Amino acid sequence: AMDIAGNPHFPEPWLSPDLLVHCASSGRGGGVEAYRRVYVQGLRQLLAATAPRHVLFVGSTSVYGQNDGSLVDETSPAEPTVETGKILLEAESLALSVEGCVLRLSGIYGPGRSVLLRKYLDGTAAVEGDGSRWINQVHRDDAAQAILLAGTKKLSGIYNVSDDTPSPQIDVYSWIASHLKGPLPPHAEAPTTRKRGNTNKRVSNAKLKTTGWRPLFPSYQDALPDLAPLKNGYPLFES
């Protein structure tokens, strides 16, 4: 249904499911307005349309704005430095207002999806500054298991979803270089701005582990044989 302005309008809930999972992407080119439409307006409309008994919102650890390398957990201040992070917090508040669950995911990687590996392979990788900025990641399958567990157990509140091994950027590139028998990327100046904020922190997954969740890939290094398989000791992409 549409209102007079052409916006979705639901006069009364029509479904009332046991669980609503909001796990969406604003798209590769998604800016501030796309974030607001997808995360805030989208979740608000779904809540109004379906009146779920429980809601699960999948967000991002980008809401933590810390830049001092500190360890952050769910009690740490969430003060994002960019507008998209503030929008995610607004969406989180919608889920939490109905006693729902918020999962804050670190950078997702998995088969066919790894930003650092892709940059290494296409020659655009660079060790930023001294390479000490912390990288927080989680494998796609571990993120999916966290979503399944949170939905099944009807968890409430905020949980970080990240692997066991926050790692300095130079360590991650060293793992990739060693695995692929290639050189370490060159050093470059660290950028002053980033899409998700110029942050530097270590994300704790201790609270999520109290629910029984354990990552299949405790560190990015553990996943490299699957992400970049070798044959006879050499990368398969080499002729």
PDB file of all heavy atoms in Angstrom, residues 23-61:
ATOM      1  N   CYS A  23      19.035  -7.868   7.615  1.00  0.00           N
ATOM      2  CA  CYS A  23      20.436  -8.031   7.220  1.00  0.00           C
ATOM      3  C   CYS A  23      20.528  -7.550   5.785  1.00  0.00           C
ATOM      4  O   CYS A  23      20.220  -8.291   4.851  1.00  0.00           O
ATOM      5  CB  CYS A  23      20.868  -9.496   7.347  1.00  0.00           C
ATOM      6  SG  CYS A  23      22.590  -9.802   6.929  1.00  0.00           S
ATOM      7  N   ALA A  24      20.902  -6.305   5.601  1.00  0.00           N
ATOM      8  CA  ALA A  24      20.817  -5.679   4.286  1.00  0.00           C
ATOM      9  C   ALA A  24      22.113  -4.955   3.951  1.00  0.00           C
ATOM     10  O   ALA A  24      22.977  -4.755   4.802  1.00  0.00           O
ATOM     11  CB  ALA A  24      19.641  -4.707   4.246  1.00  0.00           C
ATOM     12  N   SER A  25      22.228  -4.563   2.704  1.00  0.00           N
ATOM     13  CA  SER A  25      23.362  -3.782   2.228  1.00  0.00           C
ATOM     14  C   SER A  25      22.843  -2.555   1.501  1.00  0.00           C
ATOM     15  O   SER A  25      21.835  -2.621   0.787  1.00  0.00           O
ATOM     16  CB  SER A  25      24.232  -4.612   1.276  1.00  0.00           C
ATOM     17  OG  SER A  25      25.202  -3.791   0.648  1.00  0.00           O
ATOM     18  N   SER A  26      23.525  -1.449   1.685  1.00  0.00           N
ATOM     19  CA  SER A  26      23.129  -0.223   0.991  1.00  0.00           C
ATOM     20  C   SER A  26      23.658  -0.191  -0.434  1.00  0.00           C
ATOM     21  O   SER A  26      23.373   0.728  -1.184  1.00  0.00           O
ATOM     22  CB  SER A  26      23.653   1.004   1.745  1.00  0.00           C
ATOM     23  OG  SER A  26      25.071   1.001   1.746  1.00  0.00           O
ATOM     24  N   GLY A  27      24.453  -1.201  -0.813  1.00  0.00           N
ATOM     25  CA  GLY A  27      25.025  -1.241  -2.154  1.00  0.00           C
ATOM     26  C   GLY A  27      26.411  -0.644  -2.171  1.00  0.00           C
ATOM     27  O   GLY A  27      26.798   0.119  -1.290  1.00  0.00           O
ATOM     28  N   ARG A  28      27.185  -1.012  -3.167  1.00  0.00           N
ATOM     29  CA  ARG A  28      28.579  -0.559  -3.240  1.00  0.00           C
ATOM     30  C   ARG A  28      28.696   0.958  -3.290  1.00  0.00           C
ATOM     31  O   ARG A  28      29.616   1.549  -2.766  1.00  0.00           O
ATOM     32  CB  ARG A  28      29.272  -1.178  -4.459  1.00  0.00           C
ATOM     33  CG  ARG A  28      29.500  -2.676  -4.318  1.00  0.00           C
ATOM     34  CD  ARG A  28      30.288  -3.221  -5.496  1.00  0.00           C
ATOM     35  NE  ARG A  28      30.535  -4.645  -5.344  1.00  0.00           N
ATOM     36  CZ  ARG A  28      31.563  -5.167  -4.678  1.00  0.00           C
ATOM     37  NH1 ARG A  28      32.419  -4.355  -4.082  1.00  0.00           N
ATOM     38  NH2 ARG A  28      31.731  -6.468  -4.601  1.00  0.00           N
ATOM     39  N   GLY A  29      27.771   1.601  -3.972  1.00  0.00           N
ATOM     40  CA  GLY A  29      27.846   3.047  -4.094  1.00  0.00           C
ATOM     41  C   GLY A  29      26.963   3.757  -3.098  1.00  0.00           C
ATOM     42  O   GLY A  29      26.721   4.963  -3.217  1.00  0.00           O
ATOM     43  N   GLY A  30      26.476   3.027  -2.108  1.00  0.00           N
ATOM     44  CA  GLY A  30      25.515   3.598  -1.178  1.00  0.00           C
ATOM     45  C   GLY A  30      26.123   4.700  -0.330  1.00  0.00           C
ATOM     46  O   GLY A  30      27.117   4.490   0.356  1.00  0.00           O
ATOM     47  N   GLY A  31      25.523   5.882  -0.363  1.00  0.00           N
ATOM     48  CA  GLY A  31      25.955   6.984   0.462  1.00  0.00           C
ATOM     49  C   GLY A  31      25.038   7.152   1.647  1.00  0.00           C
ATOM     50  O   GLY A  31      24.323   6.233   2.046  1.00  0.00           O
ATOM     51  N   VAL A  32      25.045   8.350   2.203  1.00  0.00           N
ATOM     52  CA  VAL A  32      24.280   8.627   3.414  1.00  0.00           C
ATOM     53  C   VAL A  32      22.793   8.377   3.208  1.00  0.00           C
ATOM     54  O   VAL A  32      22.140   7.731   4.033  1.00  0.00           O
ATOM     55  CB  VAL A  32      24.538  10.073   3.870  1.00  0.00           C
ATOM     56  CG1 VAL A  32      23.575  10.468   4.985  1.00  0.00           C
ATOM     57  CG2 VAL A  32      25.981  10.224   4.334  1.00  0.00           C
ATOM     58  N   GLU A  33      22.244   8.873   2.110  1.00  0.00           N
ATOM     59  CA  GLU A  33      20.806   8.716   1.887  1.00  0.00           C
ATOM     60  C   GLU A  33      20.422   7.250   1.679  1.00  0.00           C
ATOM     61  O   GLU A  33      19.371   6.805   2.128  1.00  0.00           O
ATOM     62  CB  GLU A  33      20.358   9.573   0.701  1.00  0.00           C
ATOM     63  CG  GLU A  33      20.360  11.056   1.010  1.00  0.00           C
ATOM     64  CD  GLU A  33      19.608  11.392   2.296  1.00  0.00           C
ATOM     65  OE1 GLU A  33      18.463  10.907   2.459  1.00  0.00           O
ATOM     66  OE2 GLU A  33      20.160  12.100   3.150  1.00  0.00           O
ATOM     67  N   ALA A  34      21.284   6.508   0.979  1.00  0.00           N
ATOM     68  CA  ALA A  34      21.010   5.077   0.790  1.00  0.00           C
ATOM     69  C   ALA A  34      21.026   4.355   2.128  1.00  0.00           C
ATOM     70  O   ALA A  34      20.193   3.483   2.397  1.00  0.00           O
ATOM     71  CB  ALA A  34      22.036   4.469  -0.159  1.00  0.00           C
ATOM     72  N   TYR A  35      21.982   4.708   2.987  1.00  0.00           N
ATOM     73  CA  TYR A  35      22.033   4.107   4.317  1.00  0.00           C
ATOM     74  C   TYR A  35      20.740   4.373   5.078  1.00  0.00           C
ATOM     75  O   TYR A  35      20.175   3.470   5.707  1.00  0.00           O
ATOM     76  CB  TYR A  35      23.221   4.674   5.108  1.00  0.00           C
ATOM     77  CG  TYR A  35      24.441   3.796   5.110  1.00  0.00           C
ATOM     78  CD1 TYR A  35      25.166   3.573   3.939  1.00  0.00           C
ATOM     79  CD2 TYR A  35      24.884   3.182   6.283  1.00  0.00           C
ATOM     80  CE1 TYR A  35      26.307   2.774   3.946  1.00  0.00           C
ATOM     81  CE2 TYR A  35      26.015   2.382   6.288  1.00  0.00           C
ATOM     82  CZ  TYR A  35      26.716   2.177   5.125  1.00  0.00           C
ATOM     83  OH  TYR A  35      27.829   1.362   5.133  1.00  0.00           O
ATOM     84  N   ARG A  36      20.278   5.612   5.039  1.00  0.00           N
ATOM     85  CA  ARG A  36      19.072   5.953   5.794  1.00  0.00           C
ATOM     86  C   ARG A  36      17.859   5.195   5.254  1.00  0.00           C
ATOM     87  O   ARG A  36      17.039   4.686   6.019  1.00  0.00           O
ATOM     88  CB  ARG A  36      18.828   7.466   5.746  1.00  0.00           C
ATOM     89  CG  ARG A  36      17.637   7.901   6.593  1.00  0.00           C
ATOM     90  CD  ARG A  36      17.611   9.394   6.790  1.00  0.00           C
ATOM     91  NE  ARG A  36      18.778   9.858   7.524  1.00  0.00           N
ATOM     92  CZ  ARG A  36      18.932   9.752   8.834  1.00  0.00           C
ATOM     93  NH1 ARG A  36      17.960   9.182   9.563  1.00  0.00           N
ATOM     94  NH2 ARG A  36      20.007  10.187   9.437  1.00  0.00           N
ATOM     95  N   ARG A  37      17.744   5.103   3.934  1.00  0.00           N
ATOM     96  CA  ARG A  37      16.601   4.404   3.346  1.00  0.00           C
ATOM     97  C   ARG A  37      16.611   2.922   3.714  1.00  0.00           C
ATOM     98  O   ARG A  37      15.586   2.356   4.078  1.00  0.00           O
ATOM     99  CB  ARG A  37      16.596   4.558   1.817  1.00  0.00           C
ATOM    100  CG  ARG A  37      16.184   5.923   1.305  1.00  0.00           C
ATOM    101  CD  ARG A  37      15.869   5.863  -0.180  1.00  0.00           C
ATOM    102  NE  ARG A  37      16.986   5.360  -0.960  1.00  0.00           N
ATOM    103  CZ  ARG A  37      17.956   6.119  -1.482  1.00  0.00           C
ATOM    104  NH1 ARG A  37      17.929   7.430  -1.280  1.00  0.00           N
ATOM    105  NH2 ARG A  37      18.929   5.598  -2.178  1.00  0.00           N
ATOM    106  N   VAL A  38      17.779   2.311   3.601  1.00  0.00           N
ATOM    107  CA  VAL A  38      17.870   0.864   3.804  1.00  0.00           C
ATOM    108  C   VAL A  38      17.785   0.494   5.284  1.00  0.00           C
ATOM    109  O   VAL A  38      17.027  -0.408   5.671  1.00  0.00           O
ATOM    110  CB  VAL A  38      19.178   0.317   3.196  1.00  0.00           C
ATOM    111  CG1 VAL A  38      19.408  -1.129   3.628  1.00  0.00           C
ATOM    112  CG2 VAL A  38      19.133   0.413   1.681  1.00  0.00           C
ATOM    113  N   TYR A  39      18.555   1.198   6.114  1.00  0.00           N
ATOM    114  CA  TYR A  39      18.679   0.763   7.496  1.00  0.00           C
ATOM    115  C   TYR A  39      17.620   1.356   8.422  1.00  0.00           C
ATOM    116  O   TYR A  39      16.984   0.622   9.185  1.00  0.00           O
ATOM    117  CB  TYR A  39      20.080   1.087   8.023  1.00  0.00           C
ATOM    118  CG  TYR A  39      21.149   0.306   7.313  1.00  0.00           C
ATOM    119  CD1 TYR A  39      22.049   0.921   6.449  1.00  0.00           C
ATOM    120  CD2 TYR A  39      21.249  -1.074   7.487  1.00  0.00           C
ATOM    121  CE1 TYR A  39      23.019   0.196   5.783  1.00  0.00           C
ATOM    122  CE2 TYR A  39      22.212  -1.817   6.819  1.00  0.00           C
ATOM    123  CZ  TYR A  39      23.093  -1.169   5.975  1.00  0.00           C
ATOM    124  OH  TYR A  39      24.048  -1.894   5.306  1.00  0.00           O
ATOM    125  N   VAL A  40      17.405   2.648   8.364  1.00  0.00           N
ATOM    126  CA  VAL A  40      16.446   3.256   9.287  1.00  0.00           C
ATOM    127  C   VAL A  40      15.021   3.146   8.745  1.00  0.00           C
ATOM    128  O   VAL A  40      14.144   2.564   9.390  1.00  0.00           O
ATOM    129  CB  VAL A  40      16.806   4.729   9.561  1.00  0.00           C
ATOM    130  CG1 VAL A  40      15.758   5.376  10.467  1.00  0.00           C
ATOM    131  CG2 VAL A  40      18.183   4.820  10.214  1.00  0.00           C
ATOM    132  N   GLN A  41      14.787   3.689   7.563  1.00  0.00           N
ATOM    133  CA  GLN A  41      13.436   3.637   7.008  1.00  0.00           C
ATOM    134  C   GLN A  41      13.010   2.201   6.732  1.00  0.00           C
ATOM    135  O   GLN A  41      11.862   1.822   6.978  1.00  0.00           O
ATOM    136  CB  GLN A  41      13.365   4.491   5.748  1.00  0.00           C
ATOM    137  CG  GLN A  41      13.609   5.961   6.013  1.00  0.00           C
ATOM    138  CD  GLN A  41      13.676   6.785   4.732  1.00  0.00           C
ATOM    139  OE1 GLN A  41      13.514   6.258   3.631  1.00  0.00           O
ATOM    140  NE2 GLN A  41      13.921   8.074   4.876  1.00  0.00           N
ATOM    141  N   GLY A  42      13.932   1.405   6.224  1.00  0.00           N
ATOM    142  CA  GLY A  42      13.608   0.010   5.925  1.00  0.00           C
ATOM    143  C   GLY A  42      13.211  -0.756   7.162  1.00  0.00           C
ATOM    144  O   GLY A  42      12.191  -1.462   7.179  1.00  0.00           O
ATOM    145  N   LEU A  43      14.001  -0.635   8.237  1.00  0.00           N
ATOM    146  CA  LEU A  43      13.675  -1.363   9.460  1.00  0.00           C
ATOM    147  C   LEU A  43      12.389  -0.825  10.084  1.00  0.00           C
ATOM    148  O   LEU A  43      11.544  -1.602  10.544  1.00  0.00           O
ATOM    149  CB  LEU A  43      14.827  -1.264  10.457  1.00  0.00           C
ATOM    150  CG  LEU A  43      14.622  -1.981  11.790  1.00  0.00           C
ATOM    151  CD1 LEU A  43      14.308  -3.461  11.580  1.00  0.00           C
ATOM    152  CD2 LEU A  43      15.842  -1.815  12.690  1.00  0.00           C
ATOM    153  N   ARG A  44      12.221   0.495  10.085  1.00  0.00           N
ATOM    154  CA  ARG A  44      11.010   1.068  10.673  1.00  0.00           C
ATOM    155  C   ARG A  44       9.758   0.555   9.955  1.00  0.00           C
ATOM    156  O   ARG A  44       8.752   0.190  10.574  1.00  0.00           O
ATOM    157  CB  ARG A  44      11.072   2.593  10.602  1.00  0.00           C
ATOM    158  CG  ARG A  44       9.854   3.268  11.235  1.00  0.00           C
ATOM    159  CD  ARG A  44       9.940   4.778  11.170  1.00  0.00           C
ATOM    160  NE  ARG A  44      10.963   5.295  12.064  1.00  0.00           N
ATOM    161  CZ  ARG A  44      12.004   6.017  11.670  1.00  0.00           C
ATOM    162  NH1 ARG A  44      12.180   6.293  10.378  1.00  0.00           N
ATOM    163  NH2 ARG A  44      12.872   6.476  12.547  1.00  0.00           N
ATOM    164  N   GLN A  45       9.811   0.494   8.630  1.00  0.00           N
ATOM    165  CA  GLN A  45       8.654   0.041   7.856  1.00  0.00           C
ATOM    166  C   GLN A  45       8.395  -1.445   8.074  1.00  0.00           C
ATOM    167  O   GLN A  45       7.244  -1.885   8.164  1.00  0.00           O
ATOM    168  CB  GLN A  45       8.856   0.355   6.375  1.00  0.00           C
ATOM    169  CG  GLN A  45       8.780   1.847   6.083  1.00  0.00           C
ATOM    170  CD  GLN A  45       9.170   2.187   4.664  1.00  0.00           C
ATOM    171  OE1 GLN A  45       9.508   1.304   3.876  1.00  0.00           O
ATOM    172  NE2 GLN A  45       9.130   3.462   4.325  1.00  0.00           N
ATOM    173  N   LEU A  46       9.455  -2.236   8.177  1.00  0.00           N
ATOM    174  CA  LEU A  46       9.273  -3.664   8.426  1.00  0.00           C
ATOM    175  C   LEU A  46       8.663  -3.919   9.805  1.00  0.00           C
ATOM    176  O   LEU A  46       7.797  -4.785   9.965  1.00  0.00           O
ATOM    177  CB  LEU A  46      10.613  -4.389   8.310  1.00  0.00           C
ATOM    178  CG  LEU A  46      11.128  -4.619   6.888  1.00  0.00           C
ATOM    179  CD1 LEU A  46      12.567  -5.102   6.913  1.00  0.00           C
ATOM    180  CD2 LEU A  46      10.239  -5.619   6.158  1.00  0.00           C
ATOM    181  N   LEU A  47       9.102  -3.157  10.791  1.00  0.00           N
ATOM    182  CA  LEU A  47       8.533  -3.313  12.127  1.00  0.00           C
ATOM    183  C   LEU A  47       7.048  -2.954  12.129  1.00  0.00           C
ATOM    184  O   LEU A  47       6.223  -3.653  12.731  1.00  0.00           O
ATOM    185  CB  LEU A  47       9.287  -2.434  13.125  1.00  0.00           C
ATOM    186  CG  LEU A  47      10.718  -2.857  13.467  1.00  0.00           C
ATOM    187  CD1 LEU A  47      11.385  -1.801  14.335  1.00  0.00           C
ATOM    188  CD2 LEU A  47      10.739  -4.205  14.157  1.00  0.00           C
ATOM    189  N   ALA A  48       6.715  -1.866  11.429  1.00  0.00           N
ATOM    190  CA  ALA A  48       5.314  -1.447  11.387  1.00  0.00           C
ATOM    191  C   ALA A  48       4.457  -2.422  10.595  1.00  0.00           C
ATOM    192  O   ALA A  48       3.301  -2.679  10.940  1.00  0.00           O
ATOM    193  CB  ALA A  48       5.218  -0.054  10.768  1.00  0.00           C
ATOM    194  N   ALA A  49       5.046  -2.999   9.538  1.00  0.00           N
ATOM    195  CA  ALA A  49       4.263  -3.859   8.656  1.00  0.00           C
ATOM    196  C   ALA A  49       4.045  -5.250   9.225  1.00  0.00           C
ATOM    197  O   ALA A  49       3.014  -5.875   8.973  1.00  0.00           O
ATOM    198  CB  ALA A  49       4.951  -3.977   7.301  1.00  0.00           C
ATOM    199  N   THR A  50       5.030  -5.730  10.008  1.00  0.00           N
ATOM    200  CA  THR A  50       4.978  -7.142  10.409  1.00  0.00           C
ATOM    201  C   THR A  50       4.770  -7.369  11.899  1.00  0.00           C
ATOM    202  O   THR A  50       4.369  -8.461  12.297  1.00  0.00           O
ATOM    203  CB  THR A  50       6.275  -7.856   9.990  1.00  0.00           C
ATOM    204  OG1 THR A  50       7.384  -7.287  10.701  1.00  0.00           O
ATOM    205  CG2 THR A  50       6.513  -7.714   8.491  1.00  0.00           C
ATOM    206  N   ALA A  51       5.072  -6.366  12.738  1.00  0.00           N
ATOM    207  CA  ALA A  51       4.968  -6.533  14.195  1.00  0.00           C
ATOM    208  C   ALA A  51       5.588  -7.856  14.648  1.00  0.00           C
ATOM    209  O   ALA A  51       4.906  -8.714  15.227  1.00  0.00           O
ATOM    210  CB  ALA A  51       3.519  -6.441  14.647  1.00  0.00           C
ATOM    211  N   PRO A  52       6.894  -8.056  14.408  1.00  0.00           N
ATOM    212  CA  PRO A  52       7.517  -9.335  14.755  1.00  0.00           C
ATOM    213  C   PRO A  52       7.598  -9.537  16.263  1.00  0.00           C
ATOM    214  O   PRO A  52       7.655  -8.581  17.039  1.00  0.00           O
ATOM    215  CB  PRO A  52       8.922  -9.200  14.152  1.00  0.00           C
ATOM    216  CG  PRO A  52       9.193  -7.725  14.172  1.00  0.00           C
ATOM    217  CD  PRO A  52       7.865  -7.087  13.874  1.00  0.00           C
ATOM    218  N   ARG A  53       7.601 -10.807  16.675  1.00  0.00           N
ATOM    219  CA  ARG A  53       7.743 -11.116  18.098  1.00  0.00           C
ATOM    220  C   ARG A  53       9.176 -10.889  18.568  1.00  0.00           C
ATOM    221  O   ARG A  53       9.417 -10.641  19.750  1.00  0.00           O
ATOM    222  CB  ARG A  53       7.319 -12.565  18.343  1.00  0.00           C
ATOM    223  CG  ARG A  53       5.828 -12.803  18.087  1.00  0.00           C
ATOM    224  CD  ARG A  53       5.429 -14.248  18.347  1.00  0.00           C
ATOM    225  NE  ARG A  53       4.012 -14.453  18.142  1.00  0.00           N
ATOM    226  CZ  ARG A  53       3.482 -14.733  16.946  1.00  0.00           C
ATOM    227  NH1 ARG A  53       4.267 -14.863  15.886  1.00  0.00           N
ATOM    228  NH2 ARG A  53       2.174 -14.899  16.830  1.00  0.00           N
ATOM    229  N   HIS A  54      10.126 -10.979  17.636  1.00  0.00           N
ATOM    230  CA  HIS A  54      11.523 -10.699  17.972  1.00  0.00           C
ATOM    231  C   HIS A  54      12.202 -10.153  16.724  1.00  0.00           C
ATOM    232  O   HIS A  54      11.873 -10.559  15.603  1.00  0.00           O
ATOM    233  CB  HIS A  54      12.234 -11.969  18.449  1.00  0.00           C
ATOM    234  CG  HIS A  54      13.560 -11.689  19.100  1.00  0.00           C
ATOM    235  ND1 HIS A  54      13.677 -10.998  20.291  1.00  0.00           N
ATOM    236  CD2 HIS A  54      14.829 -11.985  18.728  1.00  0.00           C
ATOM    237  CE1 HIS A  54      14.953 -10.899  20.626  1.00  0.00           C
ATOM    238  NE2 HIS A  54      15.675 -11.486  19.697  1.00  0.00           N
ATOM    239  N   VAL A  55      13.155  -9.235  16.922  1.00  0.00           N
ATOM    240  CA  VAL A  55      13.844  -8.622  15.784  1.00  0.00           C
ATOM    241  C   VAL A  55      15.344  -8.725  15.982  1.00  0.00           C
ATOM    242  O   VAL A  55      15.861  -8.602  17.104  1.00  0.00           O
ATOM    243  CB  VAL A  55      13.416  -7.149  15.594  1.00  0.00           C
ATOM    244  CG1 VAL A  55      13.766  -6.309  16.822  1.00  0.00           C
ATOM    245  CG2 VAL A  55      14.066  -6.551  14.347  1.00  0.00           C
ATOM    246  N   LEU A  56      16.033  -8.974  14.882  1.00  0.00           N
ATOM    247  CA  LEU A  56      17.490  -9.079  14.864  1.00  0.00           C
ATOM    248  C   LEU A  56      18.016  -8.125  13.798  1.00  0.00           C
ATOM    249  O   LEU A  56      17.677  -8.253  12.617  1.00  0.00           O
ATOM    250  CB  LEU A  56      17.901 -10.517  14.550  1.00  0.00           C
ATOM    251  CG  LEU A  56      19.377 -10.835  14.320  1.00  0.00           C
ATOM    252  CD1 LEU A  56      20.208 -10.439  15.527  1.00  0.00           C
ATOM    253  CD2 LEU A  56      19.562 -12.321  14.029  1.00  0.00           C
ATOM    254  N   PHE A  57      18.822  -7.151  14.226  1.00  0.00           N
ATOM    255  CA  PHE A  57      19.399  -6.178  13.287  1.00  0.00           C
ATOM    256  C   PHE A  57      20.884  -6.444  13.130  1.00  0.00           C
ATOM    257  O   PHE A  57      21.621  -6.515  14.118  1.00  0.00           O
ATOM    258  CB  PHE A  57      19.179  -4.746  13.778  1.00  0.00           C
ATOM    259  CG  PHE A  57      19.837  -3.715  12.909  1.00  0.00           C
ATOM    260  CD1 PHE A  57      19.299  -3.385  11.669  1.00  0.00           C
ATOM    261  CD2 PHE A  57      21.010  -3.080  13.303  1.00  0.00           C
ATOM    262  CE1 PHE A  57      19.907  -2.448  10.846  1.00  0.00           C
ATOM    263  CE2 PHE A  57      21.624  -2.139  12.497  1.00  0.00           C
ATOM    264  CZ  PHE A  57      21.067  -1.821  11.263  1.00  0.00           C
ATOM    265  N   VAL A  58      21.325  -6.594  11.891  1.00  0.00           N
ATOM    266  CA  VAL A  58      22.735  -6.849  11.597  1.00  0.00           C
ATOM    267  C   VAL A  58      23.391  -5.535  11.204  1.00  0.00           C
ATOM    268  O   VAL A  58      23.090  -4.962  10.155  1.00  0.00           O
ATOM    269  CB  VAL A  58      22.890  -7.895  10.483  1.00  0.00           C
ATOM    270  CG1 VAL A  58      24.373  -8.156  10.210  1.00  0.00           C
ATOM    271  CG2 VAL A  58      22.181  -9.189  10.876  1.00  0.00           C
ATOM    272  N   GLY A  59      24.267  -5.049  12.062  1.00  0.00           N
ATOM    273  CA  GLY A  59      24.941  -3.782  11.847  1.00  0.00           C
ATOM    274  C   GLY A  59      26.441  -3.959  11.677  1.00  0.00           C
ATOM    275  O   GLY A  59      26.904  -4.949  11.113  1.00  0.00           O
ATOM    276  N   SER A  60      27.205  -3.022  12.202  1.00  0.00           N
ATOM    277  CA  SER A  60      28.644  -2.989  11.919  1.00  0.00           C
ATOM    278  C   SER A  60      29.421  -2.439  13.104  1.00  0.00           C
ATOM    279  O   SER A  60      28.944  -1.561  13.843  1.00  0.00           O
ATOM    280  CB  SER A  60      28.902  -2.105  10.689  1.00  0.00           C
ATOM    281  OG  SER A  60      30.281  -1.832  10.529  1.00  0.00           O
ATOM    282  N   THR A  61      30.649  -2.933  13.269  1.00  0.00           N
ATOM    283  CA  THR A  61      31.538  -2.400  14.297  1.00  0.00           C
ATOM    284  C   THR A  61      32.067  -1.020  13.912  1.00  0.00           C
ATOM    285  O   THR A  61      32.813  -0.413  14.687  1.00  0.00           O
ATOM    286  CB  THR A  61      32.731  -3.345  14.549  1.00  0.00           C
ATOM    287  OG1 THR A  61      33.413  -3.592  13.317  1.00  0.00           O
ATOM    288  CG2 THR A  61      32.263  -4.672  15.136  1.00  0.00           C
TER     289      THR A  61
END
